[in-house]
Amino acid sequence: AQKITQTQPGMFVQEKEAVTLDCTYDTSDQSYGLFWYKQPSSGEMIFLIYQGSYDEQNATEGRYSLNFQKARKSANLVISASQLGDSAMYFCAMRGFNQGGKLIFGQGTELSVKP
Amino acid sequence: NAGVTQTPKFQVLKTGQSMTLQCAQDMNHEYMSWYRQDPGMGLRLIHYSVGAGITDQGEVPNGYNVSRSTTEDFPLRLLSAAPSQTSVYFCASGPGQGITEAFFGQGTRLTVV
């Protein structure tokens, strides 16, 4: 069975500073993908970044990067230069290669950016 | 492109009533899924489909039915609503090739009284 664990229910960061949101996972699949989604107070789910299990380089998308450590089964999200608009819930999720439609989510981390 | 469209956005039901949450996607995606989101529990998979005519249960399927007669539509039916089904429901879709992100609808906030 697959499992995602996010151990930080809430975090604070000062505007313009970097922040790391933790995510650990467990799976017996050899091929899988790891995802991060942002959910602002308006409620929609916004895709941020993706990392494949066979990708050797960490994924980056603008201010977002995914610190992927396969041996430690961790996929932490790093947000550089935090902005007030980054205040939201952040969810880590994973899916096996042959398990289309079956995203498994963590409990989420609520990030608050202070001015 | 409309993407993934869910209706309604809000709904209040009485205990025992039935209803259908609608989900439609216009991206020709093979995969479609339904999730419920409860405070402190993230999103949990209810049912999913890997193509027209094929559905399977997720983590929390009890009390819900689905069918997939077309690629575009994946309705979620509540057979006899219970207060425990008060939640925010999300529909998502994704392409069949490789591992890609899921595209989510705007969500349906359901309250069962």
Side-chain angles (χ1 to χ4, degrees), chain A residues 86-103:
Chain A
D86 294 333
S87 294
M89 281 291 289
Y90 289 81
F91 291 99
C92 181
M94 74 176 300
R95 176 160 73 87
F97 188 81
N98 292 320
Q99 296 179 359
K102 289 180 67 177
L103 267 178

Side-chain angles (χ1 to χ4, degrees), chain B residues 11-72:
Chain B
Q11 183 72 49
V12 179
L13 284 180
K14 293 183 178 179
T15 298
Q17 285 185 319
S18 63
M19 79 159 295
T20 300
L21 306 185
Q22 302 291 346
C23 177
Q25 52 96 2
D26 62 358
M27 297 173 282
N28 202 31
H29 285 165
E30 289 188 33
Y31 302 129
M32 295 186 76
S33 313
W34 277 102
Y35 298 85
R36 61 177 288 173
Q37 183 179 17
D38 303 296
M41 302 191 74
L43 278 75
R44 292 183 292 167
L45 182 64
I46 304 171
H47 286 285
Y48 66 101
S49 168
V50 299
I54 306 169
T55 64
D56 206 347
Q57 296 181 352
E59 182 184 358
V60 288
N62 292 342
Y64 308 95
N65 263 359
V66 293
S67 60
R68 183 105 179 263
S69 56
T70 67
T71 299
E72 294 78 18

Side-chain angles (χ1 to χ4, degrees), chain A residues 31-33 35 37 39 43-45 47 50 91 95-97 100-108, chain B residues 31-33 35 37 40-43 45 48-50 90 95 98-106:
Chain A
S31 182
Y32 50 89
F35 305 84
Y37 284 86
Q39 186 178 46
E44 71 267 31
M45 296 291 288
F47 166 73
Y50 155 78
F91 291 99
R95 176 160 73 87
F97 188 81
K102 289 180 67 177
L103 267 178
I104 306 300
F105 284 84
Q107 303 92 322
Chain B
Y31 302 129
M32 295 186 76
S33 313
Y35 298 85
Q37 183 179 17
M41 302 191 74
L43 278 75
L45 182 64
Y48 66 101
S49 168
V50 299
F90 285 97
I99 301 178
T100 63
E101 74 271 23
F103 296 81
F104 282 82
Q106 293 294 314

Side-chain angles (χ1 to χ4, degrees), chain A residues 45-60:
Chain A
M45 296 291 288
I46 301 169
F47 166 73
L48 294 177
I49 196 167
Y50 155 78
Q51 177 86 40
S53 59
Y54 284 103
D55 293 336
E56 294 187 354
Q57 295 210 338
N58 287 341
T60 59

Side-chain angles (χ1 to χ4, degrees), chain A residues 13-21 48-49 60-66 76-86 90 111 113:
Chain A
V13 65
Q14 206 68 33
E15 193 178 8
K16 300 181 184 176
E17 291 186 348
V19 63
T20 298
L21 306 184
L48 294 177
I49 196 167
T60 59
E61 289 287 347
R63 294 186 299 110
Y64 305 107
S65 60
L66 201 154
N76 299 338
L77 176 70
V78 180
I79 306 174
S80 63
S82 297
Q83 302 172 356
L84 296 178
D86 294 333
Y90 289 81
L111 178 67
V113 180

